[in-house]
């Protein structure tokens, strides 16, 4: 029998650098998605959907939508995870707005196809980094992680089901073609998580 390697605990500086990298990648991905007029899954996708319909900044909606899930996080994942997730959500909300400033990326007009593909790749890899440093972006991420740890359901597949509901809801504000493109992009994100975030695959803690 092959002996499993013992987990190597992340140092404080590794966690800080990892979380920073994760939120930068996710925020850049969400900025691309919003610039292309497409949505994704999770509470980020729900916040994007609401931002198209309401005169409220994405960052404000993103924080508001995630608030109810923090009770679940506190009881299901502990306060360390909850605090890290709260900081990650706040950072993503802020950085998504920063990317759109004239001195940064400014106003972009990517095609919906490119925005959905590249935006979800960036967001998926960023989420993977956050998960591996004991954080998340709240909402569906918390539900998926708890179900994976308690019952063995892969987080990526759980998110895929929940994300489908969000993407289908975007028919209320988007064309059918945009919804199809958004669904393809959300599938890319969840495949990244399903293939790379499995129990026992990563030994860091």
């Amino acid at each position: 029998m092959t002996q499993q390697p013992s987990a190597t605990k992340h140092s404080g500086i590794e966690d800080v650098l990892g979380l920073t990298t994760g939120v930068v990648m996710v925020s850049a991905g969400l900025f691309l998605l919003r610039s292309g007029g497409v949505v994704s899954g999770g509470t980020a996708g729900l916040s994007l959907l609401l931002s198209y319909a309401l005169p409220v900044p994405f960052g404000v909606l993103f924080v508001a939508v995630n608030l109810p899930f923090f009770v679940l996080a506190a009881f299901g994942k502990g306060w360390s995870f909850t605090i890290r997730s709260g900081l990650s959500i706040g950072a993503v909300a802020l950085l998504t707005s920063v990317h759109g400033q004239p001195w940064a990326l400014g106003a972009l007009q990517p095609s919906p196809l490119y925005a959905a593909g590249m935006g979800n790749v960036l967001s998926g890899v960023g989420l993977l980094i956050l998960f591996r440093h004991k954080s998340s972006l709240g909402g569906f991420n918390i539900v998926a992680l708890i179900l994976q740890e308690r019952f063995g359901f892969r987080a990526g597949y759980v998110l895929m089901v929940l994300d489908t509901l969000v993407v289908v809801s975007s028919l209320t504000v988007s064309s059918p073609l945009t919804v199809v493109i958004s669904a393809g992009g959300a599938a890319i994100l969840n495949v990244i998580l399903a293939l790379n975030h499995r129990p026992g695959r990563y030994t860091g803690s």
Side-chain angles (χ1 to χ4, degrees), residues 37-64:
V38 294
V39 300
S40 187
T43 49
L46 181 58
S47 301
L48 282 172
L49 180 62
L50 292 173
S51 72
Y52 298 146
L54 301 173
V56 181
F58 166 79
V60 174
L61 291 169
F62 187 47
V63 172

Side-chain angles (χ1 to χ4, degrees), residues 14-30 88 91-92 95 99 122-131 133 135-137:
E14 286 174 336
D15 277 333
V16 170
L17 292 175
L19 293 173
T20 300
T21 302
V23 298
V24 168
M25 293 189 71
V26 171
S27 63
L30 291 176
S88 296
V92 167
L95 286 174
H99 291 313
L122 288 171
S123 296
V125 174
L127 274 173
L128 187 63
I129 294 172
L130 293 180
F131 289 171
H133 288 273
S135 183
S136 76
L137 288 182

Side-chain angles (χ1 to χ4, degrees), residues 13-189:
I13 188 63
E14 286 174 336
D15 277 333
V16 170
L17 292 175
L19 293 173
T20 300
T21 302
V23 298
V24 168
M25 293 189 71
V26 171
S27 63
L30 291 176
F31 176 73
L32 272 177
L33 291 170
R34 196 174 195 290
S35 298
V38 294
V39 300
S40 187
T43 49
L46 181 58
S47 301
L48 282 172
L49 180 62
L50 292 173
S51 72
Y52 298 146
L54 301 173
V56 181
F58 166 79
V60 174
L61 291 169
F62 187 47
V63 172
V65 167
N66 277 293
L67 286 177
F69 291 93
F70 275 94
V71 175
L72 178 62
F75 285 100
K77 296 287 292 178
W79 282 108
S80 176
F81 177 87
T82 303
I83 292 172
R84 291 186 188 207
S85 296
L87 292 174
S88 296
I89 289 169
V92 167
L94 176 62
L95 286 174
T96 303
S97 299
V98 169
H99 291 313
Q101 298 302 310
W103 53 268
L105 293 176
L108 298 181
Q109 292 184 318
S111 70
L113 191 61
Y114 177 85
M118 186 61 69
N120 278 290
V121 167
L122 288 171
S123 296
V125 174
L127 274 173
L128 187 63
I129 294 172
L130 293 180
F131 289 171
R132 289 181 171 179
H133 288 273
K134 306 301 182 184
S135 183
S136 76
L137 288 182
F140 297 166
N141 298 158
I142 292 173
V143 174
L145 288 173
I146 290 176
L147 288 176
Q148 175 168 289
E149 293 175 1
R150 299 286 178 85
F151 303 104
F153 298 119
R154 287 189 189 171
Y157 294 147
V158 173
L159 286 171
M160 193 174 294
V161 173
L162 297 174
D163 291 351
T164 298
L165 300 176
V166 174
V167 173
V168 170
S169 298
S170 67
L171 280 168
T172 58
V173 297
S174 302
S175 68
L177 178 59
T178 301
V179 173
V180 170
I181 292 173
S182 298
I188 290 172
L189 184 152

